[in-house]
Amino acid sequence: MTLKIQPSQPQNSRKESPKVAWFERFIALIALGNLSLVLFDLTYVSARDFYFRQIPVLTQIYDPFKGIKPHRDTQKYLESLAELKKQVVQTGLPSPQVAAKLQEINTLSANMIDEDPFRVASKSGSLEKIKDRIRDRTPNPQQSAKQSFKTFWSQEYLNKKGWQQEITWFDAKIKPLIATNYYRTIGENGEFTDNFWQIDLPFIAIFAIEFLARTYFISRRHRSVSWRAAMLWRWYDIFMFLPFWRLLRVLPVTIRIHQAKMPDLQPIRTQISRGFVANFAQELTEVVVIQLINQMQQSITTGELARQLFKSQKQRYLDINNINEIEAIATHLVQITVYKVLPQLQPDLEALLRYNIELFLKQSPLYQGFQQVPGLGNLPAQLASQLVAELSKLATLGPQDAYEAFKIASEDPVGTKLSAQLVQHFGQALGAELQQQQTWQEIQLLLCDFLEEFKINYIQRLSEEDFEKILEQAKQLQRIAPR
């Protein structure tokens, strides 16, 4: 009996049905709504002044969840101000009832400055604004806010400046600062009251049930995956139903939105990755290159490189391809020198040889004697030309013929043995000469200086390189040859 095991396809490669896609979008919308509520709750206290002025209904609904209540002192101040306005309308400004209300508000103003009812809500800055504005409105030599309030809430001042004008200014500049003050209750744990859990609890229940169901179906779909392993696969979903660290829900919400493609966040993720790579690759490459060059310089300075290059042939050596790379390189160099370089140098060799031979002949008494013999005056020049041609051919074509003969001879065992012996002795002789103290010191110095210059110039070019262009080229290559 043969048991056939079909490999399961990854979850992301399986085409989703319309129902599954609809469900993923529905859960993603719920997660996004919950995250919006979390962000709203976290920023509500700091943004409450804005909500209070622009959306007062919202503060009336949400204040109880944060334990926010009107402060008794500032609320009494506003109520007394409203009663004063009614009294002025009923009896006019110059009346005993208005004078009594003005005295009451003046007393409340002094108590507000002394007791600072804004401190509980961490809004003492609002009290300082009130004091600065009232001092600017009714200045006094002592620059006292209490004295400024006493002057402002007097029948003489309001009658002189105009009741309507001054009360309009107060309602615009002072009253909003007083109205935004509040008192926040404290629970038995010593912290401010926060009942957001009452709003968050239904979402937590939904996400917990969805997490258990999803991981269970994953374990049923993939027989080799246990329910616990499936939970570890979806570890980021755990943040959705934790009653604390709610801000971490941004991770699973982002993943769900991306998976539901509403919208597709792949371009954003790609751009973020490219920016990270561009910033990280430059520093990483610089560090790697500098470290590599420093290690090479250290190997040259300590003599480790020389010991590796000129080690004895008897030393154990690990060969990975059965090829002597040094001999292969030397063979290629010889072929290039014999067949490519030397023929190109033949005109220069002829010119140099002709110049030196003619210079030698002109200085020779025999050449001067030939010049005086009729019919033999051009003989030395002809001999010099033939000699130069033969020597240049010997210097250029001779090595080619010698190399061809060497290759033919090296095909038999004796030739192979002699060529190997030649290469070995050549390497030993060259190594011995290079290991001379003065020679190797000069080579070490030149190599270290070269590496230092290379390091400086390479790192400078690296810092000037546009990594955005490099990433764009990499992206184009991916399009041409996708993985």
Side-chain angles (χ1 to χ4, degrees), residues 27 48 61 72 76 162 190 216 218 252 298 366 406 453 473:
I27 294 296
R48 183 183 178 275
I61 296 174
R72 290 177 297 178
K76 185 178 181 180
Y216 174 75
I218 290 176
Q298 184 178 2
L366 183 61
F406 175 78
E453 294 176 358
Q473 293 174 2

Side-chain angles (χ1 to χ4, degrees), residues 101-255:
K101 278 297 177 183
L102 290 174
Q103 182 61 36
E104 179 184 352
I105 296 177
N106 187 34
T107 302
L108 292 175
S109 300
N111 293 338
M112 181 175 63
I113 294 175
D114 291 335
E115 298 175 3
D116 187 8
F118 299 86
R119 182 178 62 255
V120 178
S122 300
K123 297 174 67 66
S124 296
S126 297
L127 179 59
E128 294 301 321
K129 290 181 181 179
I130 293 172
K131 292 161 64 175
D132 291 339
R133 291 177 182 180
I134 197 65
R135 279 194 292 256
D136 293 339
R137 190 68 174 181
T138 56
N140 58 83
Q142 296 81 15
Q143 288 295 312
S144 171
K146 292 182 180 180
Q147 184 62 40
S148 296
F149 270 117
K150 185 176 181 180
T151 303
F152 186 87
W153 297 121
S154 63
Q155 289 178 324
E156 295 80 8
Y157 176 81
L158 294 175
N159 188 36
K160 178 181 178 181
K161 295 293 184 178
W163 159 259
Q164 192 61 44
Q165 176 181 341
E166 294 303 308
I167 201 65
T168 301
W169 174 86
F170 190 89
D171 288 343
K173 300 296 183 181
I174 304 298
K175 182 181 176 181
L177 297 175
I178 300 176
T180 55
N181 188 42
Y182 58 85
Y183 173 78
R184 191 172 180 186
T185 59
I186 298 177
E188 295 180 356
N189 57 357
E191 301 292 337
F192 288 119
T193 301
D194 189 355
N195 294 324
F196 178 73
W197 64 271
Q198 298 176 0
I199 302 175
D200 196 38
L201 184 59
F203 292 96
I204 290 178
I206 292 174
F207 294 132
I209 295 173
E210 189 265 346
F211 175 77
L212 294 175
R214 181 186 293 271
T215 53
Y216 174 75
F217 283 114
I218 290 176
S219 64
R220 296 286 295 176
R221 184 184 304 163
H222 305 279
R223 297 298 179 88
S224 61
V225 179
S226 63
W227 195 2
R228 181 179 178 182
M231 291 182 181
L232 293 177
W233 282 9
R234 303 284 300 190
W235 61 270
Y236 49 85
D237 283 339
I238 297 177
F239 295 128
M240 293 300 299
F241 50 86
L242 289 180
F244 46 86
W245 298 341
R246 296 188 181 101
L247 196 58
L248 293 177
R249 297 181 187 181
V250 67
L251 175 62
V253 170
T254 304
I255 294 176

